[in-house]
Amino acid sequence: MGDPHRVGIVGLGVISRAYLDTLADHPAVRITAVADLDATRAAKAAETIPGAQPMTVEQLLGDSDVQTVLNLTTPAAHAGIALSAIAGGKHVYTEKPLATTFHDGKEVIKAAAAADVSVACAPDTVLGTGTQTARAAIDAGLVGRPLAALAVMVTPGHERWHPHPDFYYTEGGGPLLDMGPYYVSALVHLLGPVRAVTGASSRLRDERVIGSGPRAGERIPVQVDSHTSAVLEHTGGALSTLVTSFDGVATTASPIEVHGESGTLAVPDPNLFDGTVRHFELGGTDWRALQPSAGYVDGARGIGLLDCIAASGRGGPRASGVHALHVLETLRAVRRSSAEGRRIELTTLVDRPDPVPLVPAKEWRREGGLRAGPG
């Protein structure tokens, strides 16, 4: 693997713990710096990571020892942090979404190309055995020609468990932009890119009540629609129906179903790395579980960054910024379609990311790290 890749983390909120569990002592990575608007939080995080220095955000973005900035800030700050990092000649890996607006996302990709640095973006959950096994099954012809997919995410809202859920209900949040990246990324891996969308959305109420933590009982305003339905037209001809909601209570629907002319796949939650893929064959009598056949085994958040580091021997990172921009345009086009009441054609077009072969956990965990080379 050579010398460890030097990473600086900006943003040490709730999601940072999951990344640190994967990256903090991985042999392919050395976390050299951490920064947060809360200096105390940065100092506490640095105490748990050997060799990491607590810094201000500006110091980290200007630190010549940092090769890649891991951007774990809130969505409204994603583009600004990414552009500042790129201006300093650094690579960027960003928590989803790439940006809150399509314009800002394009600026990030444009700046990275001009600076000859790479941008990659979550979600990397779709690189796990759940989505990748389903993709392998589709590519092997288990459902025949794919005709349609149904992707459903219904919850009562994140304020039930998140102590500071405000940003979920401001511009850049809502169920579509918060959870949509998982589902649309998975659909692009499964069925290919999207060429056009039609959407509609609604808002059940204008306030939410925080359900846990020091602010429990506090009311927060809802500034974005909290339920969205959409039809995505894939370039290969399949139609996906997407439902994302913070207004519902529960659902019995599979997170994703893919329907083909000779079978159906039930695909596990794309917010998770694993889960059982089930197949129902035309003429069959019951569902059968498929054994994992592709993807990073026991994957965890941060595997997308490790995949980027190992990408030099193949076509590029699977969780690429270009892929994230296409997902972002798809989501923003759904919002625009909802507002304007018409079908929207997309301007970006990407290839399906490279498939992930079945990679045992020991090949990406601490024992040896990911191997560079073709997937």
Side-chain angles (χ1 to χ4, degrees), residues 35-232:
D36 192 275
L37 292 177
D38 184 341
T40 301
R41 187 154 61 178
K44 288 182 177 179
E47 290 174 358
T48 69
I49 308 168
Q53 297 297 315
M55 298 183 179
T56 66
V57 173
E58 292 74 16
Q59 287 171 335
L60 188 149
L61 294 174
D63 185 1
S64 61
D65 196 42
V66 172
Q67 294 174 277
T68 291
V69 171
L70 175 55
N71 183 5
L72 303 182
T73 56
T74 56
H78 284 181
I81 294 294
L83 289 169
S84 294
I86 291 166
K90 304 183 190 309
H91 307 291
V92 179
Y93 186 95
T94 296
E95 176 56 18
K96 56 80 191 168
L98 179 66
T100 57
T101 69
F102 180 48
H103 173 270
D104 287 349
K106 288 192 294 184
E107 290 300 304
V108 169
I109 299 303
K110 179 181 176 181
D116 196 26
V117 299
S118 65
V119 172
C121 184
D124 54 4
T125 48
V126 294
L127 305 182
T129 54
T131 299
Q132 291 296 315
T133 294
R135 172 179 175 162
I138 292 169
D139 291 350
L142 261 66
V143 301
R145 182 178 56 176
L147 306 173
L150 176 64
V152 178
M153 192 290 303
V154 175
T155 77
H158 292 348
E159 72 276 8
R160 294 168 299 131
W161 56 269
H162 199 293
H164 300 287
D166 308 67
F167 70 91
Y168 290 116
Y169 298 101
T170 60
E171 183 55 41
L176 182 66
L177 288 182
D178 175 55
M179 298 300 294
Y182 297 106
Y183 290 81
V184 175
S185 292
L187 290 170
V188 171
H189 274 267
L190 296 171
L191 299 174
V194 178
R195 68 185 179 199
V197 305
T198 304
S201 61
S202 63
R203 190 179 313 180
L204 185 65
R205 51 191 180 273
D206 293 326
E207 286 186 334
R208 297 278 174 151
V209 180
I210 300 176
S212 64
R215 299 171 60 199
E218 180 181 336
R219 294 181 177 274
I220 58 174
V222 176
Q223 301 173 20
V224 294
D225 284 348
S226 46
H227 180 99
T228 300
S229 298
V231 174
L232 316 181

Side-chain angles (χ1 to χ4, degrees), residues 1-26:
M1 292 291 293
D3 294 333
H5 192 84
R6 301 184 302 278
V7 174
I9 301 177
V10 179
L12 298 163
V14 174
I15 195 63
S16 66
R17 184 67 264 165
Y19 280 88
L20 288 170
D21 287 345
T22 299
L23 302 174
D25 57 354
H26 194 283

